[in-house]
């Protein structure tokens, strides 16, 4: 066996090769580990930055939501103040006593009072264009009860036609008593949409300043001078059998305008006169009436 052992000088190169292979393997493993370590550190840094960006984005979104909510609150406050100032104390506190022949065209806002006021005015003037259309805005000839004083009008003054006519959004409990009343009712959903499109712009608010839900929760739910729509309807509905109260529905005006005009004319006591025979197409239409009324 001794004779079979290779000489040491032959084993040395083999040992060196083995060691070199182990060193190379170790170095290769270290490189891989180091590379993986770099990748892990890089991914960790990216993830950290993403988390920071996400947190910043969430904070920014929260700030944006808070600002939007505050904007809506301010818009509601402005609209509420605008409605509080829609009438002067002098107009509200005036103890106007109407004549039995006077007619009030009443309704919750955006339910058609301007439209019916135009019909009443056309009927009482006999559809004579020089009288019927001699105004810039319908309230010049059919005064709005709570704004008349602010507009320099006297509710007790004579008007261009007979009977005298007045526009109002008052409840039955608040309106001046002793006259005749035409109450115009509309589907609350349609009234809400029309009110929402009309009032913010009327108060110089921009689109998006007030969301429909905020509007419904505030003004349409009672912050308006007219109060809530359902109590408004109910108060007048209880008077539906009152001979001095005529109910007119907005949808009926669209579906059968001549029939509605005939009912209004009869209520005004004009059935036997020339204005009562007018067809709907012959009535002058004010250029100041918005199409959404």
């Amino acid at each position: 066996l001794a004779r079979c052992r290779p000489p040491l000088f032959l084993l040395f190169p083999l040992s060196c090769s083995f060691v070199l292979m182990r060193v190379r393997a170790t170095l290769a493993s270290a490189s891989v580990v180091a590379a993986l370590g770099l990748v892990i550190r890089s991914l960790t840094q990216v993830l950290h930055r993403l988390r920071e960006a996400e947190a910043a984005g969430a904070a920014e979104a929260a700030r944006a939501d808070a600002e939007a909510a505050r904007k809506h609150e301010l818009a509601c406050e402005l609209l509420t103040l605008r409605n509080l100032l829609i009438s002067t104390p002098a107009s509200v506190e005036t103890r106007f006593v109407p004549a039995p022949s006077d007619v009030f065209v009443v309704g919750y806002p955006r339910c058609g009072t301007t439209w019916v006021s135009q019909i009443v005015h056309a009927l009482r003037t006999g559809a004579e264009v020089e009288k019927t259309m001699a105004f810039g805005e319908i309230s010049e000839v059919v005064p709005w009860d709570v704004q008349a004083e602010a507009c320099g009008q006297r509710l007790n003054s004579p008007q261009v036609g007979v009977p005298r006519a007045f526009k109002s959004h008052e409840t039955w409990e608040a309106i001046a008593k002793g006259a005749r009343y035409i109450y115009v009712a509309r589907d609350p959903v349609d009234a809400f949409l029309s009110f929402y499109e009309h009032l913010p712009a009327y108060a110089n608010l921009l689109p998006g300043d007030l969301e429909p839900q905020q509007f419904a929760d505030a003004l349409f739910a009672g912050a308006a001078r007219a109060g809530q729509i359902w109590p408004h309807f109910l108060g007048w509905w209880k008077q539906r059998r009152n001979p001095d109260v005529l109910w007119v529905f907005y949808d009926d005006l669209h579906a059968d305008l001549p029939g509605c005009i005939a009912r209004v004319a009869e209520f005004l006591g004009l059935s036997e006169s020339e204005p009562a025979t007018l067809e709907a197409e012959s009535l002058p239409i004010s250029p100041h009436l918005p199409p959404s009324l």
Side-chain angles (χ1 to χ4, degrees):
L1 291 172
R3 287 196 297 269
C4 292
R5 278 190 310 183
L8 289 176
F9 72 91
L10 293 177
L11 292 175
F12 180 73
L14 294 174
S15 301
C16 290
S17 298
F18 178 75
V19 171
L20 288 173
M21 290 175 61
R22 292 295 301 271
V23 169
R24 290 193 186 101
T26 301
L27 290 175
S29 298
S31 299
V32 170
V33 172
L36 288 175
L38 288 173
V39 171
I40 291 172
R41 284 195 296 274
S42 297
L43 290 176
T44 302
Q45 291 173 358
V46 170
L47 181 60
H48 182 67
R49 286 196 294 268
L50 289 175
R51 287 172 178 166
E52 289 180 339
E54 183 180 18
E60 183 62 30
R63 283 194 296 272
D65 290 343
E67 290 175 359
R70 182 54 182 155
K71 179 182 70 172
H72 296 154
E73 290 174 1
L74 289 173
C76 286
E77 291 173 9
L78 286 172
L79 284 179
T80 301
L81 290 173
R82 181 262 176 196
N83 275 278
L84 291 174
L85 298 174
I86 196 171
S87 57
T88 63
S91 293
V92 176
E93 295 169 7
T94 296
R95 296 295 180 259
F96 171 57
V97 179
S101 59
D102 291 342
V103 176
F104 282 81
V105 179
V106 194
Y108 195 80
R110 311 308 296 168
C111 284
T113 49
T114 302
W115 189 0
V116 176
S117 295
Q118 177 70 48
I119 291 173
V120 169
H121 182 59
L123 286 169
R124 71 178 181 175
T125 56
E128 298 176 19
V129 175
E130 63 275 12
K131 290 183 179 180
T132 303
M133 304 305 296
F135 61 86
E137 203 278 331
I138 188 65
S139 62
E140 295 176 17
V141 290
V142 181
W144 187 348
D145 54 359
V146 298
Q147 286 194 331
E149 293 287 338
C151 295
Q153 298 171 309
R154 298 294 179 184
L155 295 177
N156 279 316
S157 299
Q159 296 184 5
V160 296
V162 176
R164 294 191 306 181
F166 306 93
K167 170 185 173 178
S168 180
H169 292 313
E170 299 299 289
T171 63
W172 167 256
E173 293 75 15
I175 202 165
K177 302 297 191 297
R180 296 175 294 170
Y181 309 89
I182 300 174
Y183 189 78
V184 192
R186 188 179 188 181
D187 185 319
V189 174
D190 294 335
F192 166 74
L193 292 174
S194 180
F195 206 5
Y196 175 69
E197 291 176 357
H198 167 77
L199 194 55
Y202 191 70
N204 294 322
L205 297 178
L206 298 175
D209 283 347
L210 189 65
E211 294 295 326
Q213 188 61 55
Q214 279 83 21
F215 185 81
D217 291 343
L219 285 175
F220 199 65
R225 175 179 170 78
Q228 297 182 357
I229 193 168
W230 290 113
H232 203 284
F233 281 178
L234 183 59
W236 283 95
W237 181 249
K238 292 177 180 178
Q239 301 299 319
R240 66 190 184 280
R241 303 191 191 284
N242 185 332
D244 291 326
V245 175
L246 174 70
W247 268 66
V248 175
F249 292 95
Y250 187 93
D251 287 347
D252 290 343
L253 290 166
H254 273 285
D256 182 19
L257 183 57
C260 290
I261 291 173
R263 289 183 63 227
V264 171
E266 182 178 4
F267 181 73
L268 294 177
L270 300 173
S271 297
E272 302 303 321
S273 64
E274 181 180 353
T277 65
L278 295 172
E279 294 295 332
E281 291 77 6
S282 69
L283 289 176
I285 301 299
S286 171
H288 306 286
L289 287 176
S292 61
L293 271 180

